[in-house]
Amino acid sequence: MKRNGSRSCVTRKTRFGSREREWLKGDTQRGCVCLYGGTVDPQPPASAPQASSTPQTDLQLVLCSTSTTVEELCAQREGKGLYVQLHGDLVRRLDPSERPLQMVYDYLSSMGYADPVRVQQEAANSDLSCLIRFYSDRPVNADQHERTLLKGVFSVRKGKTQLHKWAERQVILCGTCLIVASVKDSLTGKMHILPLVGGKVEEVKRRQHCLMFSSAGSQAQTYFVNFDTLVDYQRWHRQASKVVSQTVSLVDLSCYSLETVPEYLFYSQDVTHLNLRHNFMSLQGPGGLLNLPRFSQLRSLNLSHNRLGLFPECVCEILTLTELNLSCNSLHNIPVQIGNLQSLQTLSLDGNHLSSLPEELGGLFQLNSLGLSFNSLTHIPAVLERLSTVDKLAMAGNRVQSLDLCTLVRMNHLKNIDLRLNGLRWVKSESLDAVSQVTQLDLRDNCLDSLDLSSVCNLETLYCQRNQLGTLTLSGFTLRMLHANSNRLTTVNIYPVPNQLTHMDLSQNLLEYLPDWVCDCRKIEMLDITHNLLSELPSRLFNSLSLRKLLMGCNRLQRVPDLLDHVPLEALDLQHNMLSELPESLFLKALNLKYLNVSANALERIPPSSQSEESLSTLQELYLTKNNLNEDCGALLVGHQNLRILHIAYNQLLSFPASKLSKLELLEELNLSGNKLKTIPSTVSSCKKLHTLIAHSNHITVFPEILNLPEIKLVDLSCNELTEIQLPDFLPATLQELDLTGNSSLMLEHKTLNLFSHITTLKLDQKSSSTTTTGESLSASIPWNHGYSEMSGQRNKLCVSVLAVDRFRDGVEACYGIFDGDRNEEVPRLLQCTMGDVLCEELQQSTIDNMYMCNTFLTSQRKLGMVGQKLGASALLCYIHHETSDPGGSFSLTVANVGNCQAVLCRDGLPVPLSKVYSLENCTEEMERVKLSKAIITEDNKVSGVTCCSRLLGCSYLSPWVLPKPWVHTEPLCPQDKFLILGNRALFEWVSYQEAVGTVQAVGNPRAATKKLCSLAQSYGCKDNIGAVVVSLQIGEDSCTCEPPLHVTVPRGPTPAPAPVPVSAIPGPSDPATLSSSSGIVTEFSSETSASEMGSEAGSTASDEHPPSGSASRPERRCSLHPATTLCGIMVPGPGGAGTHQGLFQRQPSCATFSSNQSDNGLDSDDETPLEGVISNGSKLEVEVDIHCCAFQLRSGASESPKDLDLDKRGLDHPKSKMRRQNSVVVSATNGCLLAVCGREIVDLKKSPSTSSLFGKKLPNGSVVAPEDSHNLIEVALEAPKKRSGYFTAPAQQDPEDQLIVPPSLEQEVREQLRGQSPLVSGLSAPTTPSSLKDPVWDHPHPPAFHSNLVPGPGPTPILQQEVYDTAL
């Protein structure tokens, strides 16, 4: 069925109509395939004007079944063929027998979809084109064509003299040569070939748009070419400059989706290196593989990743080849003709299905490199005995389960053996012959339980990590490096003493003592024995004259021996031991010591830096976190004048000597968190190089004098007792992050906030309008609250995002998540804003935990769009809910994750892991799955060298090796469950489960606990982004807050129309959308936006509505354990803590922030009462919004009145309905930010270049996938304007005279009177409301503004619905 090719008709509604729906009914094997035309480049440059006359990609919707072949579809369309594109990458021509719809079904099944009906639905979703897309013609990519072939008819002159005249000739630039035809517009005559490698291309200034091409050598020739346009001139100049700059005749045509090479390429007979990697080369055709022997000087040929299936025997006719790469081509055997390539030196056959090698391969006597990794070999091929020049055996990822050392004796030319990832179970030697030639052996990631390599007498380097070794025996004659971590070693036997040993890693084993021979090693420089069971450290080792780096953390050491003489030790790690003191001579004898970490011990003092006032200390990094140090240690730190990093958090410091701090002039990072400090000494201003000050969780009341420091970047003073801030007139431009949350008494003036306006990340508490009593009531209404913390470490950007919603859907559920992008921030931010919406939508389709959680992740993968093609992130999602079978009973926790984010539940004080780490090192079954799919796993255990995770959201170009299907687990909650910890890889890599649980138990406050977890990880050595969420649980009958229902009579008759409602960022405490006391800002959302619309657009919309007039009956108050039927509430996360917590707003650099500089509603802001959380600034109101806001769709529980429906219908039908209210407010959660502008400015916003992305501006990404409205929302969000200063602009608030004001003296009386009447409810006006909310409005110390409703009530008064614009995140 042919559709109009305009952009407007590719939306879901016009593209998928009744005919298509009827076709899908009743048979899951039916479906439709969207065919895109390829006659134009689907992605024009972003700078190009979007004119109406611009041609668009044609779209055809073809109804078919899973048995329909390409041949049948082409016959129906009278087409020549079909093409498929995966993940916006290469485009492949489909074979006539392939079945497109079945391909889509198979792709979705491999992702993780299990339900056939859901597979059918997803296959018809237009967003899927970012993952798999079909074309009716090969898409044209102008940039690709330019780099492959340039040709045209131009004026040409030969030679530098004037003897030759200008003439019109056909000119071609292909490969390494310039080709000039002897006849105009014809290639039948003689062709003049000009080799360009090593030559010159220069601009001719005497003629416009003219280039001079010259070849290299003494017999150089010259051609002048005059181009017609500047565009042609620049294109040819750019491409020719690349060719002449080469030192070898290399033609790189990789990743071009080629089936044949350009025929003109064969004119370049000087080509020596041809790269055809990542194409779809065929044998036949003028430029097929059968014609490659025409290159007479070809030495290097790369045909890897071409889906060949069979070894191209024609390659064996290129006798000049010295290098041949046929990796990842699904080859099952090698032909005997391989013996013809007598000049071959390098042969790469990795990533195939080879189970044997031909004997003829042994005749390649010049072959010195043979790659056989990730094949199906079960033993070392015997033909290697004849390849005497091959010195490395590369057989990682095969199926060799046993290794006989006698085999290596016969292959006496092999020096380097790589047998990692083979499933090796034993290494044996049936003879006493020594294996003298092997110097390096790699046996990582196998199944060995013991290893005896004493017969390998010249072994220099051994890798045997991640086995199950209990014993290890080696020869020490030439041993230089030993890597044996992550085993079960109790002893290591090496004889004789390895005097050449320099590096040894025995970490994560079961060693209770160090072997004696370790102390006798004369050249050992680095020794890592962390995570063992050592209780003492030999004095001889500590006094070694060669040891420079000693890592002994996480053992059972109670003392460290004294230093008897000067030692060259530079780095010493003794964290997580039981040390109560350090040697007095440590800093006196170890003068080269630059790094010392003694965190998590029981130190009460530190040794002096010197015995006199002058110190020779070179210490630069000192970590003393989590000890028992007091303020006396400050005086002992003075001697370390080279100190750059000092972490002394979580000790017993009451103060820090001011005179001592001033001596640390080179200090760059200072962490004083978790002590009992009341002030930071003013002498901190002497530390001119200080860029990071972390001092949260103290008792600091005065803001330190640090804002005059020229290099200050990060200041964290959260969880203190600050009351005011004295600021200089100007803040340093370097300040990027300021955290002042958790200071309940801090009041900031407008001048202060204006000074903070340039800070990229500003975190402040938002003052709640509720009293302490109200906050406690709200906190008690749900049996959980949360806190979170994110730290960027030493990176320039924060790549971790947190989703935290205490009231999810109906208010008695919760949703928490953490997303880690490793090195990208885009995917975590997008998942943070969209994944809650997706979960809401999936919960309406299924009640099976494994089904809705799995589909949430898979749908999120699709919604990532083009961003998810190349970027990815680990994701963890936790959903607290009632059991489906017992809605009023106990709670359950459903956890789903991909990647290496983890969740740990504290039950009876013990950690209960709930997630699964999907990394290749930790998951054997995932490693086997990736190996079977023939992925190349690099030596650092990364898939294709990209990621160590086998399951991620995003990175779709790594499919099928990396999948988005999550691990799903449901755990019933019980009263013994106290809290839940969510963390990313960096957190749990440095903080164990048990320590994390103990830390949270000791702190109590969720926000302070997350701060401590992140600070501990940094002090232990973490340099990466860290994210942590702590959810405090109070599961049990004690949480019941049910009250008997009050039945009141609803008065009849008309009711007065409500007064206009001001737009506020903070609803009142009775708003059903309000979070618990641990939550941040709340945004209300229109019930008119359906779940499917909101979820499919990967965004969130919000609207403000007037409260209905009249009184409604007060509903029965219910607790979270016995909930009443309520409506979906929309929650926005914030940091949590115990007791009453303030909301949090924060500004992040990755947020899309928007403002309207001309916002004006005609009111004088000077005459208004300031609204809580809204900062007035002239005619603008500035609102800070939590980055962690997340909007979820709303399901209305009460039907609208006929008048409401009629009014809405009239408003929607009106041609200018979007502007029916001049001062209507547009509110949208845009990646955690609030957009609030007057309705009359929307047209201006659409025209503005800075905000046009909100209204449908499209982005190109360089691939041939055309951006569409349905799946380009991610790109729109990414291009949203970033505002680096100021706050968000909102209309001024309503006149306070229009608000209902109750004097404080009459509050109690009015409350008592209203107990028998229907109270005024500023939140949800519906037959039912969320449980355990106190009497609304009256618990405020000051009268708050009445807030808009989520759902229109049943009253007769019409409600003017405000217009909602979906601004794409």
Side-chain angles (χ1 to χ4, degrees):
M1 182 173 60
K2 179 81 173 177
R3 294 286 187 182
N4 192 313
S6 65
R7 175 72 63 168
S8 60
C9 80
V10 297
T11 59
R12 181 177 294 108
K13 290 183 179 179
T14 57
R15 181 166 55 184
F16 201 83
S18 58
R19 178 188 176 187
E20 290 78 11
R21 295 189 184 94
E22 193 67 27
W23 169 256
L24 298 182
K25 285 183 179 179
D27 188 355
T28 58
Q29 299 304 308
R30 291 181 175 182
C32 55
V33 174
C34 297
L35 296 183
Y36 295 83
T39 57
V40 296
D41 191 353
Q43 295 192 31
S47 59
Q50 296 293 332
S52 58
S53 60
T54 302
Q56 300 291 346
T57 303
D58 291 333
L59 174 65
Q60 302 177 51
L61 195 63
V62 180
L63 304 182
C64 60
S65 66
T66 55
S67 61
T68 306
T69 64
V70 172
E71 185 177 7
E72 294 172 350
L73 288 177
C74 291
Q76 177 185 351
R77 298 175 42 258
E78 297 182 358
K80 296 181 180 180
L82 295 182
Y83 299 82
V84 64
Q85 181 189 44
L86 296 178
H87 325 120
D89 202 356
L90 304 182
V91 178
R92 178 178 68 88
R93 182 196 299 269
L94 293 175
D95 294 334
S97 60
E98 293 188 87
R99 297 170 293 169
L101 186 60
Q102 185 62 50
M103 292 175 60
V104 178
Y105 280 19
D106 292 342
Y107 183 88
L108 294 172
S109 298
S110 67
M111 283 180 58
Y113 285 107
D115 182 16
V117 176
R118 184 58 185 266
V119 170
Q120 184 188 50
Q121 295 173 354
E122 290 293 320
N125 195 307
S126 62
D127 294 357
L128 199 64
S129 60
C130 285
L131 301 177
I132 181 170
R133 170 178 287 211
F134 295 96
Y135 290 93
S136 58
D137 297 294
R138 179 180 291 277
V140 177
N141 191 311
D143 181 61
Q144 171 185 326
H145 189 269
E146 172 187 330
R147 288 181 290 174
T148 307
L149 175 69
L150 289 177
K151 67 177 180 178
V153 178
F154 307 108
S155 297
V156 180
R157 195 189 76 187
K158 181 180 179 181
K160 296 183 179 181
T161 64
Q162 302 294 330
L163 298 178
H164 299 277
K165 297 181 179 180
W166 292 91
E168 296 286 331
R169 292 291 183 267
Q170 180 99 339
V171 184
I172 301 169
L173 178 60
C174 184
T176 61
C177 295
L178 183 73
I179 307 171
V180 181
S182 59
V183 182
K184 179 183 178 182
D185 296 334
S186 175
L187 298 176
T188 58
K190 181 181 178 181
M191 308 297 293
H192 300 276
I193 311 301
L194 183 67
L196 294 179
V197 175
K200 293 186 298 182
V201 55
E202 298 176 349
E203 177 186 2
V204 179
K205 298 183 179 180
R206 292 174 296 176
R207 295 180 66 94
Q208 188 178 19
H209 306 156
C210 185
L211 290 176
M212 182 186 71
F213 298 88
S214 300
S215 60
S218 58
Q219 303 295 327
Q221 293 182 334
T222 302
Y223 278 90
F224 292 86
V225 181
N226 203 108
F227 299 96
D228 299 330
T229 64
L230 177 62
V231 174
D232 287 335
Y233 166 82
Q234 293 175 338
R235 183 184 297 119
W236 283 70
H237 192 194
R238 180 170 57 250
Q239 188 63 22
S241 298
K242 296 178 182 178
V243 177
V244 299
S245 63
Q246 296 178 176
T247 57
V248 295
S249 297
L250 167 66
V251 176
D252 187 356
L253 298 177
S254 59
C255 304
Y256 282 167
S257 302
L258 297 178
E259 296 178 6
T260 60
V261 298
E263 193 172 355
Y264 299 113
L265 185 63
F266 294 104
Y267 286 101
S268 303
Q269 284 300 307
D270 62 333
V271 172
T272 58
H273 296 70
L274 180 58
N275 186 359
L276 296 174
R277 181 179 62 91
H278 274 291
N279 285 291
F280 304 102
M281 296 299 298
S282 62
L283 291 174
Q284 307 298 327
L289 297 181
L290 291 176
N291 290 288
L292 292 185
R294 293 171 57 183
F295 292 107
S296 58
Q297 301 182 37
L298 192 61
R299 299 178 55 198
S300 175
L301 177 60
N302 190 340
L303 288 172
S304 61
H305 297 274
N306 267 272
R307 296 170 55 100
L308 295 177
L310 296 174
F311 192 104
E313 296 181 8
C314 57
V315 172
C316 300
E317 300 175 11
I318 311 176
L319 304 182
T320 56
L321 279 181
T322 60
E323 181 180 355
L324 178 60
N325 190 338
L326 289 168
S327 301
C328 302
N329 275 294
S330 301
L331 305 180
H332 288 80
N333 54 70
I334 307 297
V336 296
Q337 288 85 349
I338 192 69
N340 297 337
L341 303 177
Q342 291 297 314
S343 301
L344 201 61
Q345 299 176 11
T346 301
L347 178 59
S348 300
L349 299 171
D350 307 293
N352 287 291
H353 300 278
L354 301 176
S355 57
S356 63
L357 297 178
E359 289 295 326
E360 287 75 10
L361 192 64
L364 304 181
F365 299 111
Q366 297 189 39
L367 191 66
N368 54 42
S369 177
L370 178 60
L372 298 173
S373 299
F374 299 98
N375 278 280
S376 302
L377 299 169
T378 57
H379 60 276
I380 299 177
V383 70
L384 289 173
E385 297 181 18
R386 299 169 53 194
L387 298 174
S388 58
T389 56
V390 175
D391 59 355
K392 180 177 180 179
L393 176 64
M395 286 186 58
N398 279 275
R399 302 176 182 177
V400 181
Q401 295 190 359
S402 63
L403 174 62
D404 190 348
L405 296 179
C406 297
T407 305
L408 300 181
V409 173
R410 295 192 298 269
M411 303 176 183
N412 54 15
H413 48 84
L414 294 178
K415 297 181 180 180
N416 190 338
I417 310 294
D418 183 1
L419 290 174
R420 59 190 176 89
L421 296 169
N422 263 277
L424 270 175
R425 298 189 176 276
W426 57 84
V427 177
K428 56 187 178 181
S429 178
E430 297 180 352
S431 67
L432 299 178
D433 296 335
V435 184
S436 58
Q437 81 281 0
V438 176
T439 59
Q440 180 170 328
L441 184 58
D442 192 342
L443 300 175
R444 282 176 287 182
D445 298 286
N446 282 292
C447 305
L448 299 171
D449 54 13
S450 64
L451 185 59
D452 185 353
L453 297 176
S454 56
S455 60
V456 188
C457 55
N458 290 323
L459 186 64
E460 297 180 2
T461 303
L462 173 63
Y463 298 94
C464 57
Q465 304 99 303
R466 292 179 295 278
N467 278 276
Q468 302 169 14
L469 295 176
T471 59
L472 177 61
T473 304
L474 302 174
S475 171
F477 285 106
T478 58
L479 191 63
R480 297 178 181 272
M481 299 179 65
L482 172 60
H483 298 271
N485 56 285
S486 303
N487 281 286
R488 302 173 182 175
L489 293 173
T490 57
T491 183
V492 179
N493 301 313
I494 301 181
Y495 181 83
V497 174
N499 289 323
Q500 305 297 321
L501 186 65
T502 59
H503 291 73
M504 183 166 66
D505 185 355
L506 297 175
S507 60
Q508 296 181 4
N509 279 286
L510 303 176
L511 297 173
E512 296 183 359
Y513 62 91
L514 275 180
D516 293 336
W517 56 264
V518 176
C519 304
D520 297 327
C521 296
R522 300 176 182 177
K523 295 184 179 181
I524 189 166
E525 298 180 1
M526 196 284 292
L527 176 61
D528 186 353
I529 45 179
T530 57
H531 292 277
N532 277 281
L533 305 175
L534 300 172
S535 57
E536 61 178 354
L537 181 64
S539 177
R540 285 195 302 157
L541 176 65
F542 201 57
N543 286 276
S544 171
L545 298 179
S546 61
L547 195 61
R548 298 181 180 274
K549 186 175 182 179
L550 178 59
L551 308 179
M552 295 196 62
C554 302
N555 279 282
R556 301 174 179 178
L557 299 178
Q558 297 183 5
R559 61 177 298 273
V560 177
D562 291 330
L563 290 174
L564 304 178
D565 202 353
H566 293 284
V567 295
L569 197 63
E570 297 178 0
L572 178 61
D573 189 343
L574 295 169
Q575 61 176 294
H576 285 91
N577 281 286
M578 296 181 284
L579 301 175
S580 58
E581 61 179 1
L582 294 175
E584 286 292 319
S585 59
L586 178 61
F587 297 124
L588 303 178
K589 300 295 184 181
L591 297 179
N592 293 332
L593 192 63
K594 294 180 174 59
Y595 173 94
L596 176 62
N597 194 330
V598 288
S599 301
N601 280 283
L603 298 178
E604 297 182 355
R605 60 183 303 274
I606 58 175
S609 58
S610 65
Q611 294 178 340
S612 60
E613 294 184 358
E614 296 185 2
S615 174
L616 301 177
S617 172
T618 60
L619 191 65
Q620 298 180 7
E621 299 182 38
L622 179 58
Y623 299 89
L624 301 169
T625 297
K626 201 178 178 184
N627 281 284
N628 297 322
L629 300 173
N630 55 30
E631 55 274 8
D632 295 337
C633 70
L636 301 175
L637 296 174
V638 177
H640 304 293
Q641 297 184 0
N642 294 310
L643 206 59
R644 295 187 301 106
I645 299 177
L646 175 60
H647 282 221
I648 194 170
Y650 296 99
N651 280 280
Q652 305 297 325
L653 272 67
L654 299 176
S655 63
F656 199 96
S659 60
K660 309 303 180 183
L661 185 59
S662 62
K663 301 294 182 63
L664 303 177
E665 297 180 354
L666 301 180
L667 198 62
E668 299 176 5
E669 180 178 325
L670 177 61
N671 192 332
L672 297 170
S673 304
N675 285 285
K676 302 177 182 178
L677 300 177
K678 295 185 178 180
T679 182
I680 302 292
S682 59
T683 52
V684 72
S685 59
S686 301
C687 305
K688 300 298 183 182
K689 295 185 177 296
L690 189 69
H691 59 71
T692 300
L693 174 64
I694 304 176
H696 61 78
S697 307
N698 279 285
H699 306 293
I700 299 174
T701 57
V702 179
F703 194 85
E705 300 179 10
I706 54 174
L707 297 183
N708 289 319
L709 297 177
E711 299 183 16
I712 192 69
K713 294 182 180 179
L714 185 151
V715 179
D716 187 350
L717 293 173
S718 58
C719 302
N720 277 287
E721 300 173 5
L722 293 175
T723 56
E724 60 179 353
I725 300 178
Q726 298 294 332
L727 299 177
D729 293 335
F730 300 97
L731 295 182
T734 57
L735 186 59
Q736 299 177 3
E737 182 174 345
L738 176 62
D739 191 347
L740 298 175
T741 58
N743 292 277
S744 57
S745 302
L746 180 62
M747 302 295 295
L748 297 180
E749 300 178 351
H750 300 300
K751 178 182 178 181
T752 303
L753 291 174
N754 288 333
L755 284 175
F756 286 159
S757 62
H758 78 280
I759 302 176
T760 306
T761 304
L762 176 62
K763 302 178 183 179
L764 298 173
D765 278 333
Q766 185 155 4
K767 305 306 177 184
S768 174
S769 58
S770 60
T771 61
T772 303
T773 304
T774 304
E776 291 175 353
S777 172
L778 287 174
S779 179
S781 65
I782 52 176
W784 48 72
N785 59 77
H786 77 275
Y788 68 89
S789 179
E790 303 163 333
M791 291 188 178
S792 59
Q794 293 187 350
R795 293 189 180 174
N796 295 326
K797 59 182 180 179
L798 182 65
C799 300
V800 178
S801 295
V802 167
L803 168 66
V805 186
D806 284 335
R807 288 175 176 264
F808 186 70
R809 299 213 306 160
D810 60 358
V812 292
E813 298 177 349
C815 180
Y816 304 98
I818 187 167
F819 315 103
D820 185 359
D822 192 19
R823 298 184 183 277
N824 81 86
E825 61 182 349
E826 291 86 353
V827 174
R829 298 296 180 200
L830 297 172
L831 293 175
Q832 175 196 44
C833 292
T834 61
M835 212 159 183
D837 292 323
V838 177
L839 177 59
C840 266
E841 187 173 343
E842 294 298 335
L843 285 170
Q844 296 168 8
Q845 300 186 28
S846 175
T847 57
I848 303 174
D849 52 4
N850 189 73
M851 184 70 70
Y852 63 70
M853 271 299 191
C854 185
N855 288 345
T856 296
F857 276 70
L858 300 181
T859 304
S860 298
Q861 171 86 349
R862 168 171 53 81
K863 287 182 176 293
L864 286 176
M866 295 179 183
V867 175
Q869 292 174 351
K870 302 299 181 184
L871 304 178
S874 298
L876 171 71
L877 197 62
C878 297
Y879 172 45
I880 303 178
H881 57 95
H882 286 286
E883 286 291 348
T884 308
S885 58
D886 187 10
S890 60
F891 287 100
S892 292
L893 171 63
T894 299
V895 179
N897 79 288
V898 293
N900 42 32
C901 292
Q902 302 177 57
V904 179
L905 181 68
C906 174
R907 175 170 292 170
D908 286 328
L910 299 176
V912 179
L914 301 178
S915 52
K916 183 175 183 177
V917 179
Y918 277 115
S919 67
L920 297 182
E921 295 181 356
N922 298 330
C923 193
T924 305
E925 58 270 23
E926 284 297 292
M927 176 72 81
E928 289 301 317
R929 182 186 64 80
V930 173
K931 283 172 55 180
L932 288 175
S933 59
K934 295 304 174 184
I936 299 298
I937 302 174
T938 53
E939 293 185 355
D940 53 356
N941 271 347
K942 291 186 176 181
V943 180
S944 297
V946 177
T947 175
C948 61
C949 295
S950 61
R951 304 208 180 186
L952 291 174
L953 286 182
C955 284
S956 59
Y957 79 104
L958 293 177
S959 175
W961 311 318
V962 177
L963 300 176
K965 184 178 181 180
W967 159 270
V968 181
H969 174 72
T970 297
E971 184 74 19
L973 296 179
C974 60
Q976 289 75 32
D977 299 328
K978 299 305 179 184
F979 51 83
L980 175 68
I981 305 175
L982 280 62
N984 68 331
R985 173 195 56 83
L987 176 66
F988 289 112
E989 183 178 329
W990 295 94
V991 181
S992 66
Y993 293 157
Q994 188 61 58
E995 183 178 7
V997 167
T999 298
V1000 177
Q1001 281 181 316
V1003 175
N1005 186 310
R1007 178 195 295 170
T1010 58
K1011 285 285 186 180
K1012 183 173 182 179
L1013 288 174
C1014 293
S1015 290
L1016 291 180
Q1018 285 188 329
S1019 295
Y1020 296 162
C1022 180
K1023 307 296 183 184
D1024 297 327
N1025 291 171
I1026 309 173
V1029 181
V1030 171
V1031 182
S1032 177
L1033 303 173
Q1034 299 91 32
I1035 304 298
E1037 290 298 329
D1038 294 339
S1039 302
C1040 183
T1041 55
C1042 296
E1043 287 186 1
L1046 288 177
H1047 300 283
V1048 297
T1049 303
V1050 180
R1052 299 180 178 271
T1055 54
V1061 180
V1063 177
S1064 172
I1066 314 171
S1070 59
D1071 195 320
T1074 308
L1075 278 82
S1076 65
S1077 60
S1078 64
S1079 301
I1081 302 179
V1082 175
T1083 308
E1084 297 175 351
F1085 292 81
S1086 170
S1087 62
E1088 293 182 339
T1089 305
S1090 68
S1092 61
E1093 291 172 345
M1094 188 165 288
S1096 64
E1097 294 301 324
S1100 306
T1101 57
S1103 68
D1104 294 284
E1105 303 173 1
H1106 293 300
S1109 58
S1111 302
S1113 61
R1114 177 180 175 181
E1116 177 184 2
R1117 181 176 300 165
R1118 307 290 291 175
C1119 74
S1120 58
L1121 295 178
H1122 308 98
T1125 304
T1126 58
L1127 301 181
C1128 298
I1130 311 306
M1131 303 303 125
V1132 181
T1140 302
H1141 311 295
Q1142 308 299 337
L1144 174 75
F1145 54 61
Q1146 114 187 24
R1147 188 166 58 250
Q1148 291 277 2
S1150 61
C1151 294
T1153 61
F1154 313 92
S1155 68
S1156 175
N1157 296 327
Q1158 300 176 353
S1159 177
D1160 184 13
N1161 58 2
L1163 298 179
D1164 187 359
S1165 59
D1166 294 335
D1167 298 332
E1168 298 169 343
T1169 303
L1171 187 64
E1172 294 287 353
V1174 181
I1175 305 102
S1176 108
N1177 181 14
S1179 62
K1180 298 191 295 183
L1181 291 182
E1182 299 171 339
V1183 184
E1184 269 295 358
V1185 182
D1186 186 2
I1187 177 63
H1188 300 291
C1189 76
C1190 180
F1192 306 100
Q1193 59 266 35
L1194 203 59
R1195 290 292 180 182
S1196 175
S1199 60
E1200 298 180 350
S1201 65
K1203 291 186 178 181
D1204 296 341
L1205 296 174
D1206 183 64
L1207 179 62
D1208 290 345
K1209 182 177 180 181
R1210 291 198 305 269
L1212 292 175
D1213 292 340
H1214 195 276
K1216 296 182 180 180
S1217 60
K1218 289 187 177 182
M1219 303 301 296
R1220 65 178 182 269
R1221 293 197 52 178
Q1222 185 174 4
N1223 288 329
S1224 64
V1225 177
V1226 182
V1227 183
S1228 176
T1230 56
N1231 196 6
C1233 303
L1234 188 70
L1235 170 62
V1237 296
C1238 289
R1240 62 171 176 256
E1241 299 176 13
I1242 293 172
V1243 176
D1244 295 334
L1245 283 176
K1246 290 184 178 180
K1247 298 178 180 178
S1248 171
S1250 62
T1251 56
S1252 60
S1253 62
L1254 295 176
F1255 301 93
K1257 184 176 180 180
K1258 304 302 183 294
L1259 294 178
N1261 74 338
S1263 72
V1264 296
V1265 177
E1268 295 189 31
D1269 300 337
S1270 58
H1271 66 262
N1272 201 45
L1273 299 172
I1274 301 302
E1275 284 71 23
V1276 174
L1278 292 178
E1279 201 195 28
K1282 304 264 193 312
K1283 181 180 178 184
R1284 301 189 62 84
S1285 63
Y1287 295 87
F1288 308 105
T1289 308
Q1293 85 176 73
Q1294 197 81 350
D1295 196 310
E1297 294 181 359
D1298 295 333
Q1299 305 174 15
L1300 178 61
I1301 299 178
V1302 179
S1305 59
L1306 299 179
E1307 286 184 13
Q1308 185 65 28
E1309 181 180 352
V1310 173
R1311 183 185 295 109
E1312 292 177 357
Q1313 293 178 1
L1314 290 180
R1315 290 190 185 279
Q1317 304 177 14
S1318 58
L1320 289 172
V1321 180
S1322 65
L1324 181 67
S1325 179
T1328 57
T1329 58
S1331 59
S1332 65
L1333 294 178
K1334 299 199 69 173
D1335 291 333
V1337 179
W1338 310 114
D1339 289 325
H1340 292 264
H1342 303 287
F1346 279 87
H1347 301 285
S1348 56
N1349 291 335
L1350 288 172
V1351 181
T1357 304
I1359 300 174
L1360 291 178
Q1361 297 287 346
Q1362 308 224 13
E1363 183 61 25
V1364 178
Y1365 292 86
D1366 188 343
T1367 57
L1369 305 183

